[in-house]
Amino acid sequence: MDRQSHNSSAWKTFLLHLHPPKVHSRSIRFTRTFGLGGIAALLFIILACSGMILRFKYIPSVVGAYDSLLTLEQEYIFGHFLRSLHYWSANLLIIVSFLHMIRVLFSQSIYGERKKNWIYGLFLFICILAFNFTGYLLPWDQLSYWAVTIVTSMLSYIPLIGEGLSEWVRGGEQVNESTLLSFYHLHTGILPLFFVCFVCIHFWLVRKAKGVTFVKNQGGEMLSSYPHLVHKEVVAALIVCLVLVLLSLLLDVPMLGKAHPDISPNPSKAPWYFIGFQELLIHFDPSIVVLFIPVITLSFLISLPFYKQEGLHVGVWFNSIRGSVAVKIAILVSLFWTTIYLALSELVLQSWSSEAGNNLVVSVINLLIYVAPLLVFVWGLSRRLKLPGTEIRLVFVAILLSSYIVMSIVAYFFRAEGMEFIF
Amino acid sequence: MSSRRRFIQKLIAVVFSMQLFYILADLFKPTEKQKRKKAGKEEWKTAGQVDEFKKGTLRVFPSDKYFLYRAVDGGFLAMSVKCTHLGCILRLKEDQQGFVCPCHSSEFSALGEVTSAPAKRPLSVFPVRVVGGKVEVDIKNAVKREVGEKTTLIYS
């Protein structure tokens, strides 16, 4: 064997640890998965590498954090680029892993032996949010300090254990030195360890389930992973790297003034992935928003693979044409109704709630005003289109997602000083 | 399965549950504030002479994190600067007769009572005493007030 083929066979053998020797041609189509899972894995590797380089310069203490980052950006070549890369990869990871979740769910890839992987996947997504949240505090500027104050204070509204829980997370009554140190440790130590373990399990479970889902009995052939799959992966990886480099070079990472525990900036907003919750807080009682809604949503998502399925079409988008139509209508209706409801809340409901005492009962009524029309809509839609259970559940997920997106957009772009609504 | 194995497994399960129970119980335990009060630690800071404070005015003490209000009838009230909604630091209103939160526009009266949502609880108060013509505030022991609690002022 000459030298060249010896080297390439070493690569091939390495890749075969991750990939099966042969894959079905339909499972490696771009529009099957959009490469989202692989892109998420790549982003995590980029984050780990850029994070480790950042660790050379970052000082995890109240005295040193802010200045160490300023020094990195101003006095070290590529310092600004490094921090930007880390920041944009982190935000892109939330979006990509979220889209990956959606793709998996809507292509019916969570059933049968993939049930467990769905649960692990949900847990991985929560880890990603935890990563982003702990990392958000580390610059110790006005933006991070108050965003973390707000989100940890949200925890205190959980009944019975809320106050203890928020003080435990914060390490005190206020965000302080020990908060910074714990968050740093979580961000660079505990979470990466958990995450890597669970990602390995996640990948292994995909292999165990014989790979990506696709519609059977519609032609196609078995191809060898090297070169067919690997080449596509390399192209996708290169595109992702290009996008990240461009983002890091062209767009600025926010860095407000150093954290001032005596002055809250106006407005104080949570990070964009939590800002939908902050919007919810403006409309409903905190214990509903912080406990009831997350618990219901998470339980619903976890339960999805466990219902009895009739007419399950694995690999088909939205399970059927009917499902496809239903989900699209549901998204439009939900976007529309959520916007209307927010306007209704600003103009009418909030003043009514203040007069009525602004208590839990008032909030429940406001929540019912939002939910009831949607339930009626889903009931009507499922009757009209004769939707089976699987499609109905997909409709509910679509509604949840689009309403959260509307809330996030409104809170991010349309709320200014004092969280006043602006247009 | 042998009874010995079963016993050891049950033992491990019990130890783990005890640990989990301890962690959960810890979340219910009194907060740092309440523990400090029980331990009797107080820190009285002098706000100033009684005559320094005009009746019907608010003064802010940012580094000690309290507002001092002297009512029109001469009584004193020391309130926390933290908004009871999500913990942001309050600012004085333009007319100096109340507080507004920069985060979500909660508003409070000069006595720390909620005048505008989303906050629900009135501001926490600090113990005040007048000693030898000087107004003193115990900045270590904030007292949480519930909705509808009557406000008590301290007179010299």
Side-chain angles (χ1 to χ4, degrees):
Chain A
M1 236 192 296
D2 61 294
R3 207 188 180 97
Q4 194 171 31
S5 67
H6 186 75
N7 282 343
S8 75
S9 110
W11 262 119
K12 271 195 252 177
T13 320
F14 173 68
L15 288 171
L16 281 178
H17 278 78
L18 296 174
H19 293 313
K22 284 197 187 290
V23 283
H24 197 274
S25 58
R26 291 177 62 88
S27 75
I28 60 173
R29 275 204 193 154
F30 177 68
T31 49
R32 180 69 270 170
T33 63
F34 302 98
L36 289 167
I39 294 176
L42 173 69
L43 284 173
F44 180 70
I45 293 175
I46 294 178
L47 280 166
C49 294
S50 54
M52 288 214 242
I53 303 179
L54 282 167
R55 279 184 80 160
F56 272 111
K57 279 296 154 213
Y58 175 75
I59 301 178
S61 104
V62 169
V63 177
Y66 185 78
D67 294 323
S68 67
L69 282 180
L70 272 188
T71 315
L72 173 71
E73 295 215 357
Q74 290 164 2
E75 292 180 30
Y76 289 91
I77 191 168
F78 296 129
H80 180 75
F81 175 74
L82 183 69
R83 184 164 170 249
S84 281
L85 187 65
H86 197 76
Y87 178 82
W88 288 113
S89 316
N91 283 309
L92 205 58
L93 181 58
I94 298 188
I95 298 175
V96 165
S97 55
F98 177 72
L99 290 175
H100 173 67
M101 245 173 47
I102 309 273
R103 193 285 295 172
V104 163
L105 176 63
F106 283 137
S107 67
Q108 323 314 316
S109 310
I110 63 172
Y111 303 107
E113 54 182 327
R114 298 190 166 89
K115 282 204 251 294
K116 255 202 310 207
N117 217 9
W118 169 249
I119 311 282
Y120 278 111
L122 281 175
F123 184 71
L124 281 172
F125 186 68
I126 293 176
C127 274
I128 289 177
L129 291 178
F131 259 118
N132 271 73
F133 184 60
T134 47
Y136 206 76
L137 179 64
L138 301 184
W140 200 257
D141 69 342
Q142 278 286 70
L143 192 67
S144 18
Y145 183 89
W146 291 105
V148 172
T149 303
I150 289 180
V151 176
T152 50
S153 301
M154 282 199 226
L155 286 176
S156 66
Y157 284 105
I158 298 175
L160 295 178
I161 58 170
E163 282 225 21
L165 188 63
S166 72
E167 280 202 20
W168 181 65
V169 169
R170 240 186 267 136
E173 275 167 36
Q174 264 188 310
V175 175
N176 55 18
E177 180 87 45
S178 84
T179 325
L180 184 58
L181 198 59
S182 328
F183 275 33
Y184 179 71
H185 176 45
L186 283 168
H187 187 79
T188 57
I190 297 189
L191 280 172
L193 190 64
F194 265 29
F195 194 78
V196 167
C197 288
F198 282 108
V199 162
C200 291
I201 298 179
H202 196 72
F203 277 18
W204 177 70
L205 283 173
V206 171
R207 279 293 298 270
K208 196 153 167 275
K210 310 259 193 311
V212 169
T213 57
F214 57 94
V215 185
K216 299 257 170 25
N217 309 321
Q218 280 196 11
E221 48 172 341
M222 295 305 281
L223 303 167
S224 45
S225 342
Y226 186 88
H228 296 99
L229 175 56
V230 174
H231 280 181
K232 287 192 178 192
E233 290 179 334
V234 169
V235 169
L238 287 173
I239 295 178
V240 167
C241 288
L242 181 66
V243 167
L244 277 179
V245 165
L246 285 175
L247 281 175
S248 313
L249 286 175
L250 298 175
L251 293 179
D252 257 333
V253 178
M255 185 87 155
L256 297 184
K258 188 167 175 184
H260 206 308
D262 289 340
I263 301 178
S264 311
N266 190 354
S268 276
K269 295 189 181 180
W272 65 270
Y273 38 92
F274 285 146
I275 207 164
F277 276 105
Q278 209 179 346
E279 176 70 27
L280 282 174
L281 275 176
I282 295 178
H283 303 279
F284 306 116
D285 191 83
S287 34
I288 294 184
V289 175
V290 173
L291 185 63
F292 182 69
I293 291 181
V295 166
I296 297 277
T297 315
L298 197 61
S299 324
F300 177 59
L301 287 175
I302 291 178
S303 71
L304 282 174
F306 295 97
Y307 296 95
K308 204 162 79 135
Q309 305 297 332
E310 323 121 356
L312 183 66
H313 305 294
V314 172
V316 175
W317 288 106
F318 312 110
N319 205 37
S320 59
I321 309 280
R322 259 201 287 240
S324 177
V325 169
V327 164
K328 288 176 186 140
I329 297 178
I331 291 179
L332 286 171
V333 167
S334 170
L335 289 175
F336 183 67
W337 172 239
T338 310
T339 318
I340 302 271
Y341 180 82
L342 287 179
L344 189 69
S345 175
E346 283 293 325
L347 296 171
V348 172
L349 293 178
Q350 279 177 26
S351 27
W352 166 74
S353 308
S354 292
E355 281 167 29
N358 224 5
N359 52 26
L360 195 59
V361 174
V362 167
S363 260
V364 171
I365 296 178
N366 284 335
L367 190 60
L368 285 173
I369 296 178
Y370 177 70
V371 170
L374 282 174
L375 288 176
V376 168
F377 160 73
V378 174
W379 177 78
L381 189 70
S382 60
R383 289 278 303 254
R384 185 79 169 70
L385 293 178
K386 300 199 201 20
L387 293 178
T390 316
E391 277 85 339
I392 298 181
R393 284 186 284 276
L394 292 182
V395 162
F396 272 119
V397 174
I399 291 178
L400 275 173
L401 294 175
S402 28
S403 57
Y404 187 75
I405 289 176
V406 172
M407 301 256 177
S408 304
I409 291 177
V410 165
Y412 194 83
F413 293 109
F414 296 104
R415 288 210 180 268
E417 274 201 32
M419 295 303 266
E420 288 293 301
F421 186 73
I422 52 164
F423 192 65
Chain B
M1 209 191 313
S2 73
S3 60
R4 191 168 50 218
R5 185 175 288 187
R6 265 216 307 263
F7 171 75
I8 291 179
Q9 282 182 350
K10 274 202 229 161
L11 188 63
I12 293 176
V14 165
V15 170
F16 263 113
S17 325
M18 271 169 40
Q19 181 62 41
L20 282 173
F21 181 74
Y22 176 76
I23 293 176
L24 195 65
D26 206 34
L27 293 176
F28 283 87
K29 266 214 284 221
T31 60
E32 297 298 313
K33 274 186 289 195
Q34 287 155 294
K35 275 193 271 194
R36 244 184 282 133
K37 253 212 308 239
K38 290 208 186 120
K41 284 212 176 59
E42 296 172 346
E43 190 178 335
W44 291 95
K45 285 267 180 101
T46 309
Q49 303 284 3
V50 172
D51 306 314
E52 265 177 56
F53 300 99
K54 258 177 59 182
K55 295 195 182 154
T57 57
L58 274 171
R59 192 117 73 90
V60 55
F61 294 82
S63 43
D64 293 325
K65 298 209 178 328
Y66 69 91
F67 296 113
L68 190 65
Y69 177 59
R70 188 165 192 203
V72 278
D73 64 2
F76 286 97
L77 183 67
M79 293 158 281
S80 168
V81 294
K82 289 215 290 196
C83 178
T84 54
H85 180 228
L86 286 178
C88 293
I89 304 292
L90 296 167
R91 302 180 185 179
L92 280 177
K93 276 203 214 162
E94 289 203 355
D95 61 3
Q96 310 263 323
Q97 289 302 313
F99 315 101
V100 61
C101 179
C103 289
H104 305 92
S105 293
S106 303
E107 288 181 19
F108 301 83
S109 71
L111 291 172
E113 285 149 0
V114 178
T115 53
S116 175
K120 296 217 299 220
R121 278 190 298 109
L123 298 180
S124 302
V125 291
F126 293 103
V128 178
R129 68 181 182 201
V130 180
V131 170
K134 286 206 291 237
V135 183
E136 294 183 352
V137 177
D138 176 10
I139 60 172
K140 276 266 177 293
N141 294 305
V143 176
K144 246 168 80 167
R145 286 193 287 174
E146 295 306 320
V147 183
E149 232 181 79
K150 272 200 68 182
T151 312
T152 38
L153 305 170
I154 306 295
Y155 297 88
S156 58

